[in-house]
Amino acid sequence: MTASLLGGCAAREESAAKLRVLIVDGQNNHTVWPKSTMMMKAYFEQSGRFEVDIARTQFTWQGAKWAPHYPLQDGRTYEDLPEPKEDPDYAPDFANYDVVVSNFGWRAADWPAGTRDALEKFVAGGGGFVTVHAANNSFPNWPAYNRMIGLGGWGGRTEKDGPYVYYDNEGKLVRDDTPGRGGAHGPEHQFMIEIRQPDHPITRGMPTRWLHTQDECYDRLRGPAEEMTILATAYSSPEYKGTDRHEPALMTIDFEKGRIFHTILGHEDYSFEGVGFIVTLLRGTEWAATGEVTIPIPEDFPTETEAKRRPFP
Ligand code: ZN
């Protein structure tokens, strides 16, 4: 239940209560998982605004340290790793939460049909959803999921899934139907985030440009991109095999009555330690849960010239 459904004193009490977050995970190609889930759980709890549960698949799967196109040391490729196994009993009770945060990744096995339906109903009915980094690689054949995340990558995504969406160097928003793969990134580096919607509750008060800690700059994502607002872009530099475009980095998507926050950030633990990552995750998750943001922008927020990190204990 959200505060807007209540009146008078009850609404004030409800708004002061902690928001209930469910982190869903269990199958991620990143070796920083499951540490990344524990980092997000700590950030949510330390903010004082959220309480957190985790719903993990019974069959867990973690990828290798190597990118898919590099051979493993024994001559196999990443594609030769065993497939993640579908968990027929995976059925988190989404309705008990204000917002669901996905820390699944590339190649995650499909959820059971009933669980997919339950998430769609939860979000359509006004629940919040947050997709972090490789969670936009998951579930390429689930149409409502692609609709919820707006844009995704890998998993066979191509022009069949929707356009490329980006800002060009003249600041024009482009939807590009050119055929081609969805999802790419060059080597990790620090990159500039540029705010495109300064009046949105999530971004309000942030510097227009801020430097993000070392991370993967996703580019060439594709998807239906319906009812999607690009809050901020990341410049994808040709110096790092990028597109010379300003790629969507922080987005919101409306899905019936539900709100989705999408961040492409979060490849490694040092990326999760970025103050820009932490603050946008907290504010984006609060917005997905309530439509408003009360979490402040801290003193140690990054600037245009300095990325900031909080070392995770
Ligand atoms: Zn990554």
Side-chain angles (χ1 to χ4, degrees), residues 260-307:
I260 293 107
F261 174 66
H262 181 159
T263 176
I264 67 158
L265 307 177
H267 174 69
E268 257 292 0
D269 52 3
Y270 40 75
S271 320
F272 278 86
E273 288 175 345
V275 178
F277 172 86
I278 296 168
V279 173
T280 51
L281 174 73
L282 295 178
R283 289 168 65 99
T285 303
E286 186 183 24
W287 177 83
T290 68
E292 292 166 9
V293 174
T294 64
I295 294 166
I297 294 170
E299 290 292 325
D300 62 345
F301 197 80
T303 67
E304 185 164 352
T305 51
E306 197 182 354

Side-chain angles (χ1 to χ4, degrees), residues 29-30 133-134 137 185 188 215-216 218 264 266-268:
N29 55 311
H30 287 70
H133 193 58
N137 301 190
H185 61 75
E188 297 169 45
D215 206 334
E216 284 172 342
Y218 277 5
I264 67 158
H267 174 69
E268 257 292 0

Side-chain angles (χ1 to χ4, degrees), residues 103-159:
N103 196 19
F104 279 85
W106 182 61
R107 289 184 92 189
D110 287 340
W111 293 356
T115 305
R116 296 197 299 265
D117 289 346
L119 184 73
E120 290 177 35
K121 283 205 181 78
F122 169 74
V123 180
F129 184 68
V130 176
T131 169
V132 177
H133 193 58
N136 74 16
N137 301 190
S138 308
F139 315 134
N141 302 314
W142 177 5
Y145 187 76
N146 287 329
R147 169 75 179 78
M148 284 190 259
I149 63 175
L151 294 170
W154 296 272
R157 287 178 172 90
T158 65
E159 64 276 9

